[in-house]
Amino acid sequence: MLAIDAAAYTSPWRRVHPAAKGVFFGGLLVCALALPTWPAAPMVAVVALAAGFGPARVPPRAFARAAWVPLLFILTGSLALLVTVGGPQGAVALDPAGAARAAEVTGRAAAAVCCQLLFAFTTPLADLLPRLTRIGLPSALVEVIALIYRMLFVTLDSARRIQTAQAGRLGYAGRRAWIRSVGSLGAALFVRSFDRAQRMQRGLECRGYTGELTVLVEELPLRPSALAAAALPAVLVAAATASYFSLGAPL
């Protein structure tokens, strides 16, 4: 099981309705994207991390392992905003306004990533997917996502088994052996995944599949007061941002 899924299934917020968590983290995400970056993005990140590491008890080490790749991608991507290409000779030069734009993009994207990851760390996908059809998402799309999600763990387990067998035969002893083993691993995974998908399709057809997989969804209480409380942090962030600029801070 992936670290995110393990944390989501053991989270104290597992018993909280996904709609309430969606309003909480989704509202903060909207604030990070729609409001001025400063001071909205830092406030969104602080509120989301405080809730995640506090009441939700998200493991900081697991969160750091999951977040460093997208955050590094954001940082390296923002470096392109520091330069400009143009001029009479098409030269590359530093953009005077590039640092401000890079900081703005980095702040917004980092706050948004925190909100998305913390939602994933507190909400198992198995609890979320069956409820997506209730908000109008096509059931066929939801089922495809669910099948891919379930097949992912089987594929990862197959990859580990194949890699262990290759390593036991010195398949990664040298550079050429490593390249050959990785190629064989990819080919074997493709063949096994394709065969497994065909067998799954035949199994569904033999069981009278009619285009919809009916699953038992655990009912969780959802009160209007819980939705209002979940939306309160986003409202406070928006109000604090508005107050900041009403006091004369530049946009």
Side-chain angles (χ1 to χ4, degrees), residues 41 52 85 94 102 123 130 139 172 199 202 209:
V85 180
L94 289 176
T123 309
S139 58
Y172 298 92
R199 289 190 282 113
R202 288 196 296 267
Y209 177 66

mmCIF file of all heavy atoms in Angstrom, residues 41 52 85 94 102 123 130 139 172 199 202 209:
data_model
loop_
_atom_site.group_PDB
_atom_site.id
_atom_site.type_symbol
_atom_site.label_atom_id
_atom_site.label_comp_id
_atom_site.label_asym_id
_atom_site.label_seq_id
_atom_site.Cartn_x
_atom_site.Cartn_y
_atom_site.Cartn_z
ATOM 1 N N ALA A 41 -1.448 33.129 -0.051
ATOM 2 C CA ALA A 41 -0.800 31.826 -0.191
ATOM 3 C C ALA A 41 -0.124 31.364 1.099
ATOM 4 O O ALA A 41 -0.319 30.209 1.520
ATOM 5 C CB ALA A 41 0.196 31.866 -1.345
ATOM 6 N N GLY A 52 -3.564 19.665 9.013
ATOM 7 C CA GLY A 52 -3.072 18.340 8.641
ATOM 8 C C GLY A 52 -2.181 17.719 9.697
ATOM 9 O O GLY A 52 -2.351 16.546 10.062
ATOM 10 N N VAL A 85 13.336 36.228 -23.313
ATOM 11 C CA VAL A 85 13.947 36.008 -24.622
ATOM 12 C C VAL A 85 13.354 37.018 -25.576
ATOM 13 O O VAL A 85 12.139 37.100 -25.751
ATOM 14 C CB VAL A 85 13.701 34.567 -25.119
ATOM 15 C CG1 VAL A 85 14.343 34.363 -26.483
ATOM 16 C CG2 VAL A 85 14.241 33.566 -24.120
ATOM 17 N N LEU A 94 18.052 38.574 -18.071
ATOM 18 C CA LEU A 94 17.248 38.539 -16.855
ATOM 19 C C LEU A 94 16.071 39.497 -16.983
ATOM 20 O O LEU A 94 16.224 40.636 -17.437
ATOM 21 C CB LEU A 94 18.097 38.916 -15.642
ATOM 22 C CG LEU A 94 19.137 37.879 -15.197
ATOM 23 C CD1 LEU A 94 19.959 38.432 -14.053
ATOM 24 C CD2 LEU A 94 18.453 36.575 -14.784
ATOM 25 N N ALA A 102 8.008 34.799 -10.525
ATOM 26 C CA ALA A 102 8.406 33.462 -10.079
ATOM 27 C C ALA A 102 7.972 33.210 -8.644
ATOM 28 O O ALA A 102 7.492 32.125 -8.302
ATOM 29 C CB ALA A 102 9.914 33.304 -10.222
ATOM 30 N N THR A 123 -8.255 11.316 3.104
ATOM 31 C CA THR A 123 -9.441 10.772 2.450
ATOM 32 C C THR A 123 -9.061 9.599 1.560
ATOM 33 O O THR A 123 -8.447 9.791 0.500
ATOM 34 C CB THR A 123 -10.138 11.841 1.589
ATOM 35 O OG1 THR A 123 -10.341 13.018 2.370
ATOM 36 C CG2 THR A 123 -11.468 11.332 1.068
ATOM 37 N N PRO A 130 -17.112 6.333 -4.800
ATOM 38 C CA PRO A 130 -18.545 6.018 -4.925
ATOM 39 C C PRO A 130 -19.450 7.229 -4.748
ATOM 40 O O PRO A 130 -20.592 7.222 -5.224
ATOM 41 C CB PRO A 130 -18.777 4.989 -3.806
ATOM 42 C CG PRO A 130 -17.441 4.428 -3.519
ATOM 43 C CD PRO A 130 -16.485 5.557 -3.717
ATOM 44 N N SER A 139 -20.874 7.780 -14.221
ATOM 45 C CA SER A 139 -20.501 6.550 -13.514
ATOM 46 C C SER A 139 -19.415 5.779 -14.259
ATOM 47 O O SER A 139 -18.565 5.137 -13.633
ATOM 48 C CB SER A 139 -21.730 5.664 -13.324
ATOM 49 O OG SER A 139 -22.319 5.343 -14.577
ATOM 50 N N TYR A 172 20.974 -6.502 -12.230
ATOM 51 C CA TYR A 172 21.331 -5.087 -12.090
ATOM 52 C C TYR A 172 22.794 -4.925 -11.685
ATOM 53 O O TYR A 172 23.172 -3.950 -11.040
ATOM 54 C CB TYR A 172 20.424 -4.421 -11.057
ATOM 55 C CG TYR A 172 18.964 -4.444 -11.451
ATOM 56 C CD1 TYR A 172 18.128 -5.478 -11.045
ATOM 57 C CD2 TYR A 172 18.423 -3.429 -12.241
ATOM 58 C CE1 TYR A 172 16.795 -5.505 -11.418
ATOM 59 C CE2 TYR A 172 17.090 -3.447 -12.607
ATOM 60 C CZ TYR A 172 16.280 -4.488 -12.197
ATOM 61 O OH TYR A 172 14.961 -4.503 -12.568
ATOM 62 N N ARG A 199 -8.859 -10.601 -18.661
ATOM 63 C CA ARG A 199 -9.510 -11.554 -17.764
ATOM 64 C C ARG A 199 -10.529 -10.864 -16.865
ATOM 65 O O ARG A 199 -11.588 -11.412 -16.566
ATOM 66 C CB ARG A 199 -8.456 -12.279 -16.931
ATOM 67 C CG ARG A 199 -7.631 -13.261 -17.744
ATOM 68 C CD ARG A 199 -6.747 -14.148 -16.892
ATOM 69 N NE ARG A 199 -5.556 -13.445 -16.450
ATOM 70 C CZ ARG A 199 -5.301 -13.125 -15.194
ATOM 71 N NH1 ARG A 199 -6.168 -13.430 -14.240
ATOM 72 N NH2 ARG A 199 -4.194 -12.506 -14.858
ATOM 73 N N ARG A 202 -13.651 -10.265 -19.018
ATOM 74 C CA ARG A 202 -14.434 -11.497 -19.183
ATOM 75 C C ARG A 202 -15.144 -11.867 -17.886
ATOM 76 O O ARG A 202 -16.296 -12.332 -17.901
ATOM 77 C CB ARG A 202 -13.517 -12.638 -19.641
ATOM 78 C CG ARG A 202 -13.049 -12.522 -21.082
ATOM 79 C CD ARG A 202 -12.482 -13.847 -21.567
ATOM 80 N NE ARG A 202 -11.275 -14.202 -20.806
ATOM 81 C CZ ARG A 202 -10.036 -13.900 -21.171
ATOM 82 N NH1 ARG A 202 -9.842 -13.213 -22.289
ATOM 83 N NH2 ARG A 202 -9.003 -14.272 -20.444
ATOM 84 N N TYR A 209 -22.373 -7.963 -16.084
ATOM 85 C CA TYR A 209 -22.045 -6.537 -15.970
ATOM 86 C C TYR A 209 -22.924 -5.733 -16.918
ATOM 87 O O TYR A 209 -23.000 -6.015 -18.115
ATOM 88 C CB TYR A 209 -20.572 -6.318 -16.313
ATOM 89 C CG TYR A 209 -20.144 -4.879 -16.296
ATOM 90 C CD1 TYR A 209 -20.119 -4.143 -15.119
ATOM 91 C CD2 TYR A 209 -19.763 -4.243 -17.478
ATOM 92 C CE1 TYR A 209 -19.715 -2.828 -15.100
ATOM 93 C CE2 TYR A 209 -19.355 -2.920 -17.474
ATOM 94 C CZ TYR A 209 -19.334 -2.221 -16.284
ATOM 95 O OH TYR A 209 -18.936 -0.911 -16.277
#
